[in-house]
């Protein structure tokens, strides 16, 4: 039972709170404190989120606020969860609320691949303020974000403590008040301060769980009328953007270092919040705007099209539009075609475009069929490479995809391989039973699971050839058992071994023989009940320490 | 930081005067019809005598002292120095150099009195009134506070023993695991003192150490008192030491020890209004078939045969009635009282001497039978036809012990010099 628990301070990490509770609670050892606080006392510390806490502790924390609000206040949920996709965000959020763990993976935290160690950090001026206000200082969650360099409030550089921010290296509760001694103040650069403000906004502003904002698309929409986006907004000049960004942040040791990082962010495949902040700062998007980002009603491409259509309606010629907007005339024509707008009103210039197109399609289809007949059993790329009608074939593929899908050339499977497998099938068929018998366990040995790959190895044939030897495969499939059936067979063998050696029938003794997890046992328990007496199965059941606790 | 008002609100209001007396008193219900019940029923009901508690000046003083000590201790938990002290206590647990006594001592005092005068009963009654609940819960910071924790001083005055006992009691009330972990970790005494200081600072209001006279009988006594001083300084709680007058001899040895035991000292009751009222109330609870009214003679007899010690009075009245019921006499009178004194209190005879200083014996004690007073319930003295002068002359002439001659005439109680 917890007899003393200090109140959490604003923005304090849960690790910091528990460290203070440990130092003030009169605990004689760290293990005693861990047993009181954590469901599993051997669990390593989590510095950014939380460990799996005992229900009593959760109840104490939620005396004055809801559990979800507590997590928002004292973990980096807002920061790391903000830009995940909706599904991932929901999954990560539920996992955190239910204290299921694995947060680094679920929140897509970028692992530290730099050679230098990371430590818990603090702002010397904030530490002083805390001491004046509360009588002691604490670990602030925002300062534990690897990429932040300065305090967003004071602008001074963050200092490293002596506590490793590595769960494998730090095994003690270390309160900030005990660890923080150095209070030298050194100020950071403007850019560092600005980025810190972005991070602060990301950390403190709650996000909407259902928000489907794609930050990459948002950035693209913001790059309209910049050199980084083509006029129509479909092509991103990532290289230029990367070079300019690199010059802008040339003294930064963290964040965007490679072009692919930008590409992935803009295509919605990478969600690193700090890198997002870097791009936002460079593009002149304020922190507030970034946090409250909403997709514009129309994409840049749509805006461009609307502009073109407007100009066309006003009577501007396609040539002039192309010239003004610095795009090709064919693009103007394509836009007009997509929206059903005529480029030329004068009949003199109007052509029977549809009819011409249809004729061209017919002609190309004919060529397609003839060419495929000429190159049987060959792939499409092979045909294009060798045929003189390459251009027609490719044009048809672009403009008549549905028809070409139906008449797509199929590369024939290798004849030689099929023949060889057939011969192997005939050769091995009489010996299959023998191979299976040799593989199976001897009487008294632990059962072995018969699978295709196991028999394949026994036979000495490689890869997936056995799968394609149809007759031999049928024989093996007679012996293949599901995973649960195999586990049940293993348990039954273990029971017989225990009875033979006159040992007590209990889960511990079974586990020593078969090295099976409890979950695996439970998944095959029903099968055991069909074969064994219920008293025997109950004797084998693992003894549970405490009930499975679900929080929410 | 928790506010003082939040903690004080959790305590019941302080009582005084008649309200205090009526609250302290425990008077079981008495129905005169019980005298008509069977022997077994009356004997069972007779044990109600032991649950009677009649407040005295001593119990009122003890209540006030404990209440104020607890209040001061709880108020200290609301000060800013608590945080610094917690930090220093943690260093002590870690066996690092630390500076103690930041929060400073609150109170340590003593309640000293002979055995049986009602100290422990007064203390437990006072604790019942002072505390609404066994544990007070506060928020900001969250803490469970035991208002009053009673422990016994170990027989060998072991510091470790006392610290472990405190932890064990805390575990009992708060359902924690301090004791188990202290044993598991085989903690040193210094670590234990640090941990107990921390736990006392967080979780204890007032610590009462009973049987403190054990420090006088053991060579570890001084170190135990020293550790208690350390505990007071590092936890800011009040400590009350309860014991018998042997303690005063020990604590008088040095100034710093004497200072720690300033407090309440009590002896047996004098023969006065308080004792008379006490006897009247106790005498009212009669379970014999025949009712007796209390007389001055009985009161005097009770005083002389208890030495003013209330527990002995209770025992006398209880045992006298028990003997009377069992023998069939069914009356509470001087004869049954004498019988009880002779049969049940023989070991106390040498200790019951009201208002006479008892010096060390130089020779073997000779057991004397107690003097008996002739039964005379009407409070009328028998007219005498002799005088002492005549007896003296007779003693000289006949070479007879004067005491023997006196015994023939009046009740004589011998006292050895």
């Amino acid at each position: 039972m917890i007899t003393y628990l200090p109140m959490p301070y604003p923005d304090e990490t849960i690790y910091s709170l528990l460290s203070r509770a440990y130092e003030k609670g009169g605990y004689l050892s760290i293990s005693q404190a861990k047993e009181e606080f954590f469901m599993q006392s051997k669990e390593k510390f989590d510095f950014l989120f939380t460990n799996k806490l005992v229900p009593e502790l959760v109840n104490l924390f939620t005396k004055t606020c809801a559990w979800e609000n507590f997590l928002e206040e004292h973990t980096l949920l807002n920061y790391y969860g903000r830009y995940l996709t909706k599904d991932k965000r929901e999954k990560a959020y539920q996992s955190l609320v239910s204290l299921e763990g694995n947060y680094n993976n679920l929140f897509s935290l970028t692992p530290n691949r730099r050679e230098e160690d990371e430590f818990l950090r603090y702002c010397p001026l904030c530490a002083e303020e805390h001491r004046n206000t509360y009588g002691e200082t604490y670990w602030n969650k925002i300062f534990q974000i690897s990429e932040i360099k300065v305090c967003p409030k004071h602008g001074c550089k963050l200092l490293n403590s002596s506590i490793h921010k590595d769960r494998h290296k730090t095994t003690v509760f270390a309160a900030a008040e005990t660890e923080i001694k150095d209070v030298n103040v050194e100020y950071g650069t403007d850019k560092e301060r600005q980025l810190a403000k972005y991070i602060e906004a990301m950390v403190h502003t709650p996000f909407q769980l259902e928000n489907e904002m794609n930050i990459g698309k948002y950035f693209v929409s913001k790059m309209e009328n910049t050199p980084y986006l083509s006029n129509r907004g479909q092509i991103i000049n990532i290289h230029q953007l990367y070079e300019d960004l690199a010059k802008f942040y040339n003294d930064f040791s963290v964040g965007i270092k490679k072009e692919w990082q930008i590409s992935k962010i803009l295509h919605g495949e990478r969600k690193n919040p700090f890198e997002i902040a870097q791009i936002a700062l460079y593009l002149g998007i304020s922190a507030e705007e970034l946090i409250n980002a909403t997709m514009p009603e129309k994409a840049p491409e749509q805006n461009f099209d609307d502009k073109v259509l407007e100009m066309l309606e006003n009577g501007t010629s396609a040539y002039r539009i192309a010239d003004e907007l610095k795009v090709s005339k064919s693009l103007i024509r394509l836009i007009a075609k997509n929206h059903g707008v005529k480029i030329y009103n004068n009949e003199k210039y109007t052509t029977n475009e549809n009819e011409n197109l249809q004729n061209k399609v017919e002609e190309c289809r004919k060529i397609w069929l003839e060419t495929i007949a000429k190159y049987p059993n060959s792939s499409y790329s092979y045909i294009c490479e060798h045929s003189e009608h390459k251009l027609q074939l490719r044009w048809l593929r672009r403009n008549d995809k549905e028809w070409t899908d139906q008449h797509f050339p199929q590369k024939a499977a290798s004849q030689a391989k099929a023949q060889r497998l057939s011969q192997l099938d005939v050769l091995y068929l009489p010996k299959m039973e023998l191979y299976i018998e040799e593989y199976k366990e001897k009487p008294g040995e632990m059962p072995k699971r018969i699978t295709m790959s196991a028999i394949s190895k026994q036979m000495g044939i490689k890869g997936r050839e056995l799968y394609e030897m149809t007759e031999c495969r049928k024989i093996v499939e007679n012996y293949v058992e599901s995973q649960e059936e195999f586990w049940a067979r293993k348990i039954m063998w273990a029971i017989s071994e225990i009875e033979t050696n006159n040992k007590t029938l209990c889960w511990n003794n079974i586990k020593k023989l078969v090295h099976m997890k409890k979950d695996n046992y439970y998944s095959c328990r029903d099968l055991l009940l069909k074969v064994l007496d219920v008293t025997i199965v109950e004797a084998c059941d693992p003894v549970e320490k405490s009930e499975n606790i679900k929080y929410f | 930081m928790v506010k003082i008002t939040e903690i004080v609100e959790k305590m019941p209001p302080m009582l005084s005067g008649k309200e205090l007396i009526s609250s302290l008193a425990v008077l079981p219900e008495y129905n005169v019809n019980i005298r008509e019940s069977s022997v077994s029923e009356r004997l069972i009901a007779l044990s109600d005598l032991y649950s009677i508690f009649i407040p005295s000046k001593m119990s009122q003083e003890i209540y006030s002292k404990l209440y104020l000590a607890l209040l001061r201790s709880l108020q200290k938990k609301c000060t800013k120095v608590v945080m610094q002290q917690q930090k220093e206590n943690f260093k002590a647990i870690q066996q690092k150099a630390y500076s103690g006594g930041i929060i400073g001592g609150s109170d340590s005092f003593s309640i000293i009195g002979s055995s049986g005068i009602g100290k422990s009963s007064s203390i437990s009654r006072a604790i019942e009134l002072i505390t609404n609940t066994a544990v007070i819960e506060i928020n900001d910071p969250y803490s469970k506070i035991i208002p009053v924790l009673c422990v016994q001083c170990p027989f060998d005055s072991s510091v470790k023993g006392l610290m472990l006992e405190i932890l064990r009691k805390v575990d009992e009330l708060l359902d924690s695991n301090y004791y188990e972990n202290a044993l598991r970790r085989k903690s040193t005494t210094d670590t234990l003192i640090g941990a107990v200081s921390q736990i006392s600072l967080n979780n204890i209001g007032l610590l009462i150490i009973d049987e403190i006279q054990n420090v006088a009988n053991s060579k570890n006594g001084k170190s135990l008192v020293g550790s208690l001083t350390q505990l007071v300084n590092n936890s800011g709680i009040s400590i009350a030491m309860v014991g018998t007058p042997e303690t005063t001899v020990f604590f008088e040895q040095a100034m710093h020890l004497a200072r720690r035991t300033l407090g309440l000292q009590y002896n047996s009751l004098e023969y006065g209004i308080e004792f008379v009222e006490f006897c009247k109330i106790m005498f009212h609870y009669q379970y014999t078939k025949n009712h007796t009214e209390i007389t001055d003679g009985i009161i005097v007899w009770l005083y002389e045969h208890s030495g003013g010690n209330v527990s002995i009075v209770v025992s006398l009245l209880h045992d006298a009635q028990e003997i009377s019921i069992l023998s069939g006499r069914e009356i509470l009178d001087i004869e049954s009282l004498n019988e009880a004194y002779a049969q049940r209190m023989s070991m106390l005879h040498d200790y019951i001497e009201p208002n006479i200083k008892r010096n060390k014996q130089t020779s073997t004690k000779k057991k004397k039978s107690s003097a008996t007073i002739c039964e005379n319930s009407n409070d009328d003295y028998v007219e005498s036809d002799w005088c002492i002068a005549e007896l003296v002359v007779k003693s000289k002439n006949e070479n007879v012990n004067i005491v023997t001659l006196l015994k023939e005439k009046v009740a004589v109680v011998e006292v050895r010099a």
Side-chain angles (χ1 to χ4, degrees), chain B residues 110-369:
Chain B
S110 60
I111 301 173
I112 293 174
S114 319
S115 182
I117 61 168
K119 313 185 293 298
S120 300
S121 308
S122 299
I123 289 168
S124 44
R125 276 303 295 146
I127 290 171
E128 277 174 37
L129 286 192
I130 288 167
T131 55
N132 274 340
T133 51
V135 173
I136 297 174
E137 266 190 40
I138 56 168
N139 298 314
D140 192 20
Y142 169 79
S143 181
K144 290 184 174 184
I145 300 178
I146 303 167
V148 182
L149 186 73
C150 296
V151 293
Q152 288 220 338
C153 179
F155 72 95
D156 56 352
S157 301
S158 155
V159 175
K160 201 168 185 178
L162 180 63
M163 297 298 136
L164 287 173
E165 178 64 10
I166 293 173
L167 292 180
R168 196 185 63 78
K169 282 278 185 177
V170 167
D171 285 352
E172 213 175 275
L173 289 166
L174 300 185
D175 197 21
S176 49
N177 292 317
Y178 295 114
Y179 177 72
E180 190 189 310
N181 278 285
L183 288 181
R184 201 199 306 175
R185 210 169 164 254
K186 295 178 190 165
S187 305
T188 61
T189 308
D190 289 322
T191 309
L192 275 177
I193 292 176
V196 172
S197 302
Q198 192 80 298
I199 292 162
S200 303
L201 178 60
N202 294 333
N203 303 110
I204 299 178
L206 168 67
L207 179 65
I208 295 178
I209 304 177
D210 211 349
E211 312 299 343
I212 198 66
Q213 67 274 5
N214 287 341
V215 299
N217 301 328
S218 161
K219 60 181 179 177
N220 281 339
K222 277 190 184 163
S223 32
L224 182 67
V225 174
S227 71
L228 288 174
T229 310
Q230 207 175 334
L231 187 61
V232 167
N233 286 337
N234 292 344
S235 63
I237 64 168
S238 307
I239 296 186
M241 291 177 271
V242 180
T244 58
E246 293 170 87
T247 322
T248 44
V249 175
F250 175 82
F251 283 104
E252 276 166 357
Q253 289 176 46
M255 165 68 179
H256 68 279
L257 293 173
R259 197 173 75 80
R260 293 285 159 205
T261 55
L262 296 176
L264 311 170
Q265 285 203 24
Y266 299 104
N267 293 314
S268 304
L269 287 177
E270 300 278 337
Y271 185 87
I273 298 171
E274 207 171 338
F275 184 80
V276 170
E277 285 305 314
F278 175 80
C279 291
K280 282 183 178 171
I281 296 171
M282 292 302 300
F283 211 83
H284 171 69
Y285 287 81
Q286 290 187 38
Y287 297 88
T288 51
K289 281 201 170 141
N290 300 310
H291 178 75
T292 323
E293 289 296 328
I294 191 166
T295 62
D296 288 346
I298 291 176
I299 295 174
V300 167
W301 186 95
L302 283 171
Y303 184 80
E304 288 183 349
H305 289 77
S306 64
N309 191 310
V310 295
S311 69
I312 297 176
V313 172
V314 172
S315 298
L316 276 171
L317 289 171
H318 175 275
D319 289 359
Q321 289 193 61
E322 190 182 51
I323 291 171
S324 191
I325 291 169
L326 287 171
S327 66
R329 280 191 72 239
E330 298 287 355
I331 187 165
L332 176 61
D333 55 7
I334 290 286
E335 192 178 325
S336 46
L337 285 168
N338 271 321
E339 229 177 306
Y341 184 79
Q343 287 177 24
R344 305 282 178 94
M345 309 263 167
S346 51
M347 280 189 264
L348 282 174
H349 291 173
D350 291 328
Y351 296 99
I352 298 170
E353 294 178 2
N355 297 323
I356 295 169
K357 205 170 184 176
R358 191 176 171 74
N359 295 330
K360 273 191 182 174
Q361 279 178 207
T362 51
S363 59
T364 325
K365 268 192 280 190
K366 193 176 165 186
K367 269 205 170 171
K368 297 265 178 189
S369 58

Side-chain angles (χ1 to χ4, degrees), chain A residues 1 3-5 23-24 28, chain B residues 142 175 178 185 198 202:
Chain A
M1 182 75 74
T3 59
Y4 180 85
L5 189 69
E23 288 196 356
K24 295 178 185 201
L28 286 158
Chain B
Y142 169 79
D175 197 21
Y178 295 114
R185 210 169 164 254
Q198 192 80 298
N202 294 333

Side-chain angles (χ1 to χ4, degrees), chain A residues 398-433:
Chain A
R398 278 198 310 274
N399 291 282
D400 195 6
K401 194 164 187 298
E402 206 178 311
W403 185 91
T404 51
D405 277 344
Q406 289 169 9
H407 297 85
F408 205 73
Q410 295 293 335
K411 187 180 173 189
S414 165
Q415 295 293 329
K417 186 180 173 186
Q419 210 175 1
R420 191 174 64 81
L421 285 171
S422 174
Q423 283 170 357
L424 284 174
D425 205 7
V426 167
L427 179 66
Y428 282 105
L429 184 59
K431 303 177 200 170
M432 286 311 294
E433 293 286 348

Side-chain angles (χ1 to χ4, degrees), chain A residues 29-119:
Chain A
S29 63
I30 292 168
S31 54
Q32 181 190 355
K34 278 177 122 183
E35 275 171 17
E36 292 251 311
F37 299 153
F38 300 157
M39 290 293 290
Q40 287 142 21
S41 60
K42 295 200 188 314
E43 195 180 345
K44 299 195 193 306
F45 293 118
D46 192 315
F47 300 103
L48 305 181
F49 294 95
T50 177
N51 288 93
K52 187 158 189 176
L53 306 173
V54 292
E56 191 197 346
L57 203 49
V58 173
N59 289 338
L60 289 174
F61 288 152
T62 52
K63 270 193 171 189
T64 48
C65 71
W67 177 233
E68 291 82 0
N69 294 346
F70 181 85
L71 289 173
E72 273 178 26
E73 175 75 21
H74 299 288
T75 67
L76 290 170
L77 167 63
N78 287 338
Y79 182 71
Y80 287 112
R82 183 176 302 281
Y83 297 111
L84 297 175
T85 56
K86 186 177 164 209
D87 291 340
K88 274 194 167 179
R89 190 188 308 129
E90 274 178 359
K91 195 175 170 190
Y93 181 80
Q94 282 310 319
S95 171
L96 183 61
V97 165
S98 309
L99 298 175
E100 287 169 10
N102 195 23
Y103 308 124
N104 283 8
N105 192 344
L106 290 168
F107 282 96
S108 305
L109 263 67
T110 313
N112 174 26
R113 296 208 168 91
R114 287 171 279 141
E115 284 177 3
E116 60 211 49
D117 286 337
E118 285 186 325
F119 297 89

Side-chain angles (χ1 to χ4, degrees), chain A residues 383-404:
Chain A
I383 296 170
C384 283
E385 204 178 314
H386 293 90
S387 165
E388 68 268 26
H389 300 294
K390 173 172 75 176
L391 291 174
Q392 286 91 331
L393 293 174
R394 284 188 177 158
W395 183 91
L396 188 65
R397 185 72 182 140
R398 278 198 310 274
N399 291 282
D400 195 6
K401 194 164 187 298
E402 206 178 311
W403 185 91
T404 51

Side-chain angles (χ1 to χ4, degrees), chain A residues 37 61 67 85 87 95 105 142 148 159 171 184 203 213 235 243 280 328 406 466 533 539:
Chain A
F37 299 153
F61 288 152
W67 177 233
T85 56
D87 291 340
S95 171
N105 192 344
I142 194 173
I148 194 170
L159 301 177
T171 54
N184 289 326
V203 166
M213 161 62 69
I235 300 173
E243 283 196 351
S328 66
Q406 289 169 9
L466 183 57
D533 195 48

